[in-house]
Amino acid sequence: MELDIKQIMEIIPHRQPFLLIDRVTDLEPGKSIKGYKNLSYNEPFFAGHFPNEPVMPGVLQVEALAQLGAVAILSLPENKGKTAYFTGINGAKFKQKVVPGDRLDLECEIVKIKGPMGIGQVKASVDGKLACRAEISFAVM
């Protein structure tokens, strides 16, 4: 299943300038999801990080992945209208710079759900090369 930006905003509460997903390309609700963010020079964070060498902050790469995971978990009928809160990051590794003009491909696999809590394995890549990976945890309320 694919989702455009309007459909994404019907599932998660994030809005510009903090919505960090442009499109979902593959979704299996509650199990896995893929999507991407196209990065332009106009992204507000590039102006200050860093002025002469713009780089997407690693924390925002992880946030994009968390937003993607939230779409996956909130797509389940029983979670409609709820919010997924980010509760933890484990083992985050950053492998390369992400810069204006890149398409940041995002993936999340939900590996555990117990009650309102869950864990996802996430990774982001540019041109097939790993940019970051982590394990994230969340609570749905």
Side-chain angles (χ1 to χ4, degrees), residues 48-62:
H49 194 268
F50 301 100
N52 295 320
E53 185 184 354
V55 176
M56 183 180 193
V59 68
L60 291 182
Q61 293 173 47
V62 174

Side-chain angles (χ1 to χ4, degrees), residues 58-71:
V59 68
L60 291 182
Q61 293 173 47
V62 174
E63 174 63 26
L65 290 160
Q67 290 179 18
L68 191 77
V71 172

Side-chain angles (χ1 to χ4, degrees), residues 27-34 65-76 79 84 107-123 134-140:
L27 169 62
E28 190 175 347
K31 296 188 188 259
S32 65
I33 188 168
K34 294 181 181 180
L65 290 160
Q67 290 179 18
L68 191 77
V71 172
I73 206 69
L74 297 175
S75 294
L76 292 168
N79 291 333
E107 297 181 38
C108 176
E109 181 183 346
I110 306 297
V111 295
K112 183 177 183 180
I113 299 176
K114 186 172 183 178
M117 307 299 288
I119 296 173
Q121 293 290 331
V122 296
K123 67 180 181 177
E135 178 183 271
I136 60 171
S137 55
F138 57 87
V140 177

Side-chain angles (χ1 to χ4, degrees), residues 3-141:
L3 302 174
D4 63 23
I5 193 87
K6 184 177 177 185
Q7 293 166 307
I8 292 166
M9 291 191 306
E10 290 173 358
I11 298 169
I12 61 174
H14 303 77
R15 298 294 181 264
Q16 296 300 338
F18 206 68
L19 180 62
L20 298 173
I21 309 167
D22 289 335
R23 186 165 196 83
V24 169
T25 57
D26 188 29
L27 169 62
E28 190 175 347
K31 296 188 188 259
S32 65
I33 188 168
K34 294 181 181 180
Y36 62 84
K37 170 71 176 162
N38 287 314
L39 296 162
S40 77
Y41 281 97
N42 296 326
E43 304 295 339
F45 50 82
F46 284 138
H49 194 268
F50 301 100
N52 295 320
E53 185 184 354
V55 176
M56 183 180 193
V59 68
L60 291 182
Q61 293 173 47
V62 174
E63 174 63 26
L65 290 160
Q67 290 179 18
L68 191 77
V71 172
I73 206 69
L74 297 175
S75 294
L76 292 168
E78 62 266 31
N79 291 333
K80 185 176 174 84
K82 295 183 180 180
T83 300
Y85 293 94
F86 204 167
T87 61
I89 306 166
N90 288 314
K93 300 287 182 190
F94 302 94
K95 301 293 187 176
Q96 70 172 9
K97 292 192 298 185
V98 178
V99 299
D102 284 348
R103 177 176 133 159
L104 188 63
D105 291 308
L106 309 163
E107 297 181 38
C108 176
E109 181 183 346
I110 306 297
V111 295
K112 183 177 183 180
I113 299 176
K114 186 172 183 178
M117 307 299 288
I119 296 173
Q121 293 290 331
V122 296
K123 67 180 181 177
S125 59
V126 175
D127 294 329
K129 295 179 183 174
L130 185 65
C132 78
R133 63 181 162 82
E135 178 183 271
I136 60 171
S137 55
F138 57 87
V140 177
M141 298 178 183

